[in-house]
Each structure stands twice: as C-alpha cells, then as structure tokens.
Amino acid sequence: MRLRTPLALLGAALLVLAGPPLLTSGSGADTGTQIPGLRFMVPNTPGGGYDITARTAAKDAEDAGLTHNIEVFNLPGAGGTVGLTRLVGEHGNGKLAMSMGLGVVGAARSNHSPKTLADTTPIARLTEEQDVVVVAKDSPYQTIGDLVDAWKKNPGKMPVGGGSSPGGPDHIAPMLMARAAGIEPKKVNYVPFDGGGELLASILGNKVAFGVSGVGEYLDQIKSGELRLLAVTGPKRVKGLDGPTLKESGYDVNFTNWRGIVAPPGLSEAERDKLTGLVEKLHASDEWQKSLKKNGWEDAFTTGAEFGDFLAAQDKRVVSVLKELGL
C-alpha cells in the first residue's frame, strides 16, 4: 500500500499536466474567444429576426469551436426597449450581449425610452436584409399591383402588420410603400407586433391584409407555400425567391434592414475586446458564411467605433424619415 500511494500521486500529477492540452486543442481557448457563461438576449418573442440571428450566431460559434454553452434567452416587450433597459442596467457585465437592429432604434424613439443605444457598448453590425411583403396563401391578392389597388381604395380598412414598433423597419417600409403608391402615410392602419414570430399567425389567419417583415424570418414559409411573396423592398430580387422588387413594380422604394450586437455599458477594454474578437472569429467562420447564404442575409460586418457611429446615424435617419412622412 505504501508503494502504491506515491505511484498514484505521480499518475494524478501526470494527468493534470496532460489534461489542459487535450481539453483546449482545437477549441476557442486557443484563439482567446472562450467566454464561459456568455448569455445572448433577444429583445422580442421567439421566431423573429433578432431571435433567428441570435440562435444562428450562438450555434455557429459553438459549431466552430469558438466558445461553448451560450445561453440564448428572450425578454420581449415594447419593441425591444424592455430588453434594452435590462441590458443598460447590467453595467459592466462582460458576459451579456443583445441581438438588435433598426427596430430597437425606432422603438427607443417612438416609446420615448429613457435608455437608448447610445447607452450601450457597440460590438458589431452583422447583417443587412430586405423586408418582404407577404400575404397568406389563400389571400385574394395575387400580385403587388392587386394589393396596392385595393389598399388605395380604402387604406384605413386594410390593416398592415409589421414585426416592429412605429419607427422600426417593418413600420417604415410600408409607409414608404404607401407614399410611393399615392397613399397618405397617416391613413395607413399599421398594426405592430413584437417580432415576426408574433406577426406570422395574424398573416396566416388573415387578421391583417398583408404583412411586412425580414426575408430571413419567413423564408421557410414562402418556400413551403404558406405565404405568398408579393414583393421585396430592397434594390434587387432575393436569390431563390420569385418576387419582384417594389421599384421594378412601379413603386419608388429602396429599403433594407440590418441587425447587430450590443453589450452593456461600463465594460473594461479587455471585456469589450473579448466580445468583439469572438464576433470577428464568428464572422470569418465557414459556419457563419453558410448561414448568411441560407437565410438570405447580406454581409454587413463592421465593429467598434465604426458601428457606434452607424448607430448614431441610424437614430437621426429614423427621426428624419418619420418627420418626412408626417408621422
């Protein structure tokens, strides 16, 4: 027994020495991207664009071995400003990030939120995507022309559903579309939902005349035939989808949405760099590049101060567009 004790201790010591390389080889620890306990907040309901973006990013980061066990959770409310307020309240928390986009910019304005994106730490803009104009498969509107003709006759009687608060992308897009069609934006009956997931049931149930949301949110439903695509809001057709742009349909609209990641205020330089480094490695990964193509997202990657400047410009853009539309 006395002989076995030192041998056992020696064996244990060798295992400890041998352990770390076996555990870290090929993992994010080698690249400095591991953030144990990282949580990713989605400020709207499951199934929306922020939710899809967050869950895709988390899965791709894990599949690429950059970090592990990212917790994605939903905290919906007030177009994303409930989540925004929570994020800002987590001052100095380097293990929390939030999926967001133009919708949160607009919601902060329209809801007069005491907290804005200027109070956060900008990490990265990830994607840009077009909105889609869709109806249920049994809708009487077969083309964008059919829809607009009916809309012009009585805009107040045709509810338009969008997955964002007033000032957000799914609100601004149909307002620009209305103006281009000769409809006064103030007469549009816009019905806001807390994300594309909530909106979907109302479109399918014909509770709204048509819906406007991000292409990535409804790609599967369009391809399966549950939703009929009437038009896209951006400068070109979406590859793989049979739907014209609004511009080629005779309506002078060119509108795209974007999504990104912000973190709480008060992070140390090391914490901020760690989060930014993780997202940079994610962006460079094969997994993320495949997800961009799969979801119809355009790569719009930018980080740090440049993203911060972009956020400030987007806030001014929302104010300008709403004023221009008389809203």
Side-chain angles (χ1 to χ4, degrees):
M1 291 295 292
R2 289 180 181 176
L3 289 173
R4 290 180 184 177
T5 301
L7 287 174
L9 290 172
L10 177 61
L14 288 172
L15 284 172
V16 170
L17 289 172
L22 291 173
L23 290 170
T24 59
S25 179
S27 75
D30 290 335
T31 58
T33 58
Q34 286 284 355
I35 305 178
L38 178 61
R39 305 180 78 213
F40 206 169
M41 185 199 302
V42 177
N44 62 10
T45 54
Y50 300 150
D51 188 68
I52 294 170
T53 302
R55 294 183 190 279
T56 299
K59 183 178 186 302
D60 289 350
E62 292 183 3
D63 288 349
L66 299 175
T67 193
H68 300 287
N69 301 319
I70 301 173
E71 179 192 349
V72 180
F73 68 101
N74 298 78
L75 185 63
T81 55
V82 170
L84 174 62
T85 300
R86 162 74 180 275
L87 186 83
V88 175
E90 292 279 342
H91 190 277
N93 185 352
K95 296 188 176 185
L96 180 65
M98 186 178 83
S99 175
M100 47 69 71
L102 181 57
V104 177
V105 178
R109 278 288 175 184
S110 61
N111 294 328
H112 306 290
S113 172
K115 305 299 181 184
T116 72
L117 290 165
D119 297 313
T120 69
T121 299
I123 300 299
R125 184 181 67 195
L126 295 175
T127 63
E128 185 177 33
E129 72 169 345
Q130 304 199 44
D131 265 2
V132 291
V133 181
V134 292
V135 294
K137 62 182 178 181
D138 57 349
S139 167
Y141 309 119
Q142 299 293 321
T143 67
I144 188 66
D146 293 341
L147 174 68
V148 172
D149 286 345
W151 197 20
K152 289 171 74 172
K153 290 176 183 175
N154 201 337
K157 294 290 186 181
M158 286 182 62
V160 182
S164 59
S165 295
D170 302 346
H171 172 245
I172 289 176
M175 294 302 166
L176 292 173
M177 180 176 148
R179 185 181 65 176
I183 300 169
E184 189 178 343
K186 284 184 177 179
K187 292 182 178 180
V188 173
N189 180 9
Y190 178 74
V191 183
F193 292 83
D194 204 355
E198 251 190 25
L199 169 64
L200 180 60
S202 289
I203 301 174
L204 294 175
N206 290 304
K207 293 180 180 178
V208 294
F210 66 98
V212 178
S213 196
V215 61
E217 295 174 72
Y218 293 158
L219 205 54
D220 291 342
Q221 290 80 8
I222 292 170
K223 288 183 175 180
S224 71
E226 287 183 85
L227 293 177
R228 181 182 302 137
L229 173 63
L230 299 185
V232 297
T233 65
K236 60 184 179 180
R237 293 190 177 210
V238 175
K239 189 176 181 181
L241 295 182
D242 184 20
T245 66
L246 286 171
K247 196 148 193 173
E248 71 181 89
S249 302
Y251 311 103
D252 190 14
V253 176
N254 182 355
F255 178 84
T256 56
N257 186 18
W258 56 268
R259 295 194 178 93
I261 299 171
V262 293
L267 299 192
S268 67
E269 186 176 346
E271 288 171 324
R272 184 197 64 213
D273 290 348
K274 188 93 170 180
L275 277 169
T276 304
L278 171 60
V279 178
E280 287 174 340
K281 292 287 185 182
L282 169 67
H283 173 254
S285 70
D286 291 339
E287 288 81 359
W288 179 252
Q289 292 302 315
K290 288 175 184 175
S291 291
L292 289 175
K293 294 178 182 178
K294 177 184 175 184
N295 290 290
W297 296 335
E298 296 288 333
D299 191 353
F301 192 69
T302 186
T303 62
E306 186 175 344
F307 180 42
D309 291 342
F310 174 79
L311 290 178
Q314 288 292 290
D315 183 56
K316 292 179 181 177
R317 175 194 178 198
V318 166
V319 173
S320 174
V321 170
L322 292 178
K323 186 176 180 180
E324 183 184 335
L325 293 173
L327 300 170

